[in-house]
Amino acid sequence: MGKRRLAWLILSLSSVLILAACAQRLTYPDQPDASEPDLSSGSSFSTISKDEFLYAVGWLDERTILVALESNGEYGLYSHDLLTGEEQLIRAFSDRLVFAALSANGQRMLVQVATQQGNNIMMIDKSGKSLAEFHFSEGILKGVSWNPTNEGQLFVSVQKTVDRPINYLWDISNGEWIEMPDTEEMPDTEEMPVWYSENMYLHKKTGTDGISALVLSDIRLPGKDTVIDREILAYGLEGESVWVVTPSDFNEKELLVISYYPLLITQGYISLPHIIDGSGLVIPEFTKGNDSDETFAVIPKQEPESVAGISFELAKVDFSGNVSEMLTEVERMDPILASPDGSYLLYGKRYEHLYDVERNGWIQLTEQKKSR
């Protein structure tokens, strides 16, 4: 269905069915509905020390997450088994860990460590072995996009000034860092170039009229672009699915979120309210597990009677049916990350909250405890 022919749709949100428990599921205390996760103690599995926890990086497998911890001035990346609470050190750092990212298949990690001599960027594997290193005097990594078939080729976004980040292509086979031309100068990682295939990548390009388009380019053929969609506000990539946020043609108070799967084939859409808060237009967050067909999102909702005038919902999205189904309310528009099978969701700026999709409840991830 073309974007211009999309009919106006009133979103219908309904509570998700609570599914039967399966073997070896995580357990957690009963928690009331709330706009903020109620993460009181009482979980039957080992939690992470809140004093040591910096952030969760991502999913190593369906039940194991990669976490960054700090204790007594030493930083480290650890695997944390959600079922047993077992933690395994992957790599320790004597200097401050300022960035960490995990490849989509969980096999490689990109880290940045700030030293007195400058910044070291390292690619390491799951055992902590260094695969490549790069040193630069200034700048902080803001985001990374991994080539899906060649993990030695990455797009990285580096904040060198207060004005904007600079996007680079890093090829570890030859150690080259090449600044990417004609890419949108935005601080959000979703606005940097994003790999779609071995040689193709997506990026946002703004014309002289100020209108942005989603463009597919070939790294081998600079300047040979294919326009995927026009008048876009944001976009994202989850596996082979691409979602695009664009203004509605029929209602100025709405946004349309269109899903393409595969690229150029419209899977469906949902409509959301056009809301502007203190930081600008409210853009939803989306995620999809690598081995799952289900899409999840944090979406905004108008609340005219509330002081803020807005609320947020964690929802399951069905683009083909043009509907979303509320799972629970959340406090703010924060990132989410689905486990590979879509059973669990990490939520929060530091992925500090954990949600069980099948049991429709929050699981306590961190708590105050003695340092290791």
Side-chain angles (χ1 to χ4, degrees):
M1 180 182 296
K3 180 178 67 178
R4 298 291 177 181
R5 295 184 180 179
L6 295 178
W8 176 74
L9 177 67
I10 299 176
L11 291 176
S12 59
L13 301 176
S14 60
S15 300
V16 68
L17 296 176
I18 301 177
L19 303 179
C22 62
Q24 290 199 359
R25 297 287 296 173
L26 305 183
T27 58
Y28 48 90
D30 293 336
Q31 299 179 27
D33 293 335
S35 60
E36 179 179 10
D38 179 6
L39 301 176
S40 57
S41 60
S43 299
S44 64
F45 70 102
S46 299
T47 54
I48 304 171
S49 169
K50 186 174 293 186
D51 291 336
E52 297 180 359
F53 180 80
L54 297 175
Y55 49 84
V57 181
W59 294 90
L60 292 169
D61 57 40
E62 286 81 0
R63 301 295 178 268
T64 309
I65 59 175
L66 177 67
V67 294
L69 306 179
E70 185 270 331
S71 179
N72 299 321
E74 183 173 273
Y75 296 79
L77 289 176
Y78 292 80
S79 64
H80 178 84
D81 189 311
L82 294 172
L83 291 175
T84 66
E86 180 183 2
E87 290 178 355
Q88 294 288 338
L89 175 65
I90 294 175
R91 177 119 180 187
F93 306 93
S94 57
D95 295 297
R96 185 166 61 95
L97 180 66
V98 297
F99 180 87
L102 182 64
S103 62
N105 63 9
Q107 297 300 309
R108 294 190 177 190
M109 305 157 201
L110 187 68
V111 299
Q112 179 180 359
V113 178
T115 70
Q116 294 182 346
Q117 292 73 36
N119 295 275
N120 288 333
I121 295 178
M122 291 181 287
M123 183 186 292
I124 61 177
D125 62 17
K126 290 179 66 173
S127 70
K129 178 184 175 182
S130 178
L131 304 176
E133 295 190 27
F134 185 84
H135 177 85
F136 59 91
S137 58
E138 59 180 355
I140 301 295
L141 288 181
K142 303 297 291 184
V144 56
S145 176
W146 303 79
N147 188 305
T149 59
N150 179 6
E151 290 184 333
Q153 202 170 45
L154 310 88
F155 289 127
V156 292
S157 181
V158 181
Q159 187 84 43
K160 287 192 173 183
T161 69
V162 295
D163 299 325
R164 67 177 182 91
I166 300 175
N167 298 316
Y168 293 93
L169 169 62
W170 182 22
D171 189 336
I172 68 170
S173 64
N174 55 29
E176 288 185 343
W177 280 59
I178 302 173
E179 184 172 347
M180 295 296 296
D182 302 325
T183 52
E184 186 75 356
E185 298 170 359
M186 292 286 186
D188 197 311
T189 57
E190 289 176 348
E191 305 293 354
M192 65 181 288
V194 177
W195 287 107
Y196 182 74
S197 63
E198 181 179 4
N199 297 301
M200 311 293 286
Y201 65 96
L202 293 164
H203 59 106
K204 191 166 126 179
K205 199 170 185 178
T206 302
T208 56
D209 56 2
I211 297 177
S212 296
L214 179 62
V215 174
L216 180 68
S217 299
D218 192 318
I219 199 71
R220 302 163 298 181
L221 303 170
K224 301 293 184 180
D225 301 331
T226 300
V227 176
I228 304 301
D229 207 343
R230 300 184 185 274
E231 297 184 60
I232 71 164
L233 302 170
Y235 75 97
L237 176 67
E238 295 290 341
E240 296 183 8
S241 298
V242 178
W243 57 265
V244 174
V245 180
T246 182
S248 171
D249 295 327
F250 307 102
N251 189 337
E252 64 180 10
K253 295 183 179 180
E254 284 190 343
L255 301 175
L256 292 179
V257 185
I258 305 170
S259 174
Y260 295 98
Y261 178 80
L263 202 57
L264 297 176
I265 304 299
T266 304
Q267 183 184 31
Y269 73 97
I270 59 171
S271 59
L272 298 175
H274 185 288
I275 301 176
I276 296 178
D277 63 9
S279 58
L281 182 65
V282 179
I283 301 294
E285 297 276 352
F286 289 89
T287 187
K288 184 178 180 181
N290 294 337
D291 304 323
S292 172
D293 294 328
E294 294 184 330
T295 299
F296 303 92
V298 179
I299 58 178
K301 182 180 179 182
Q302 291 278 16
E303 295 287 354
E305 298 181 359
S306 71
V307 175
I310 182 175
S311 64
F312 302 97
E313 299 173 349
L314 185 61
K316 184 185 295 185
V317 177
D318 178 6
F319 282 110
S320 61
N322 309 133
V323 295
S324 63
E325 183 180 43
M326 186 183 77
L327 300 177
T328 186
E329 291 187 347
V330 290
E331 185 180 16
R332 59 178 65 89
M333 183 63 69
D334 274 349
I336 52 173
L337 187 64
S339 62
D341 60 0
S343 295
Y344 302 100
L345 301 172
L346 290 168
Y347 163 77
K349 292 187 182 302
R350 299 183 298 141
Y351 291 142
E352 65 270 32
H353 303 304
L354 181 64
Y355 187 80
D356 187 325
V357 175
E358 294 187 6
R359 292 187 177 182
N360 197 23
W362 294 100
I363 300 172
Q364 186 170 352
L365 187 59
T366 65
E367 68 174 337
Q368 202 74 34
K369 58 174 66 175
K370 293 181 179 180
S371 300
R372 63 184 70 246

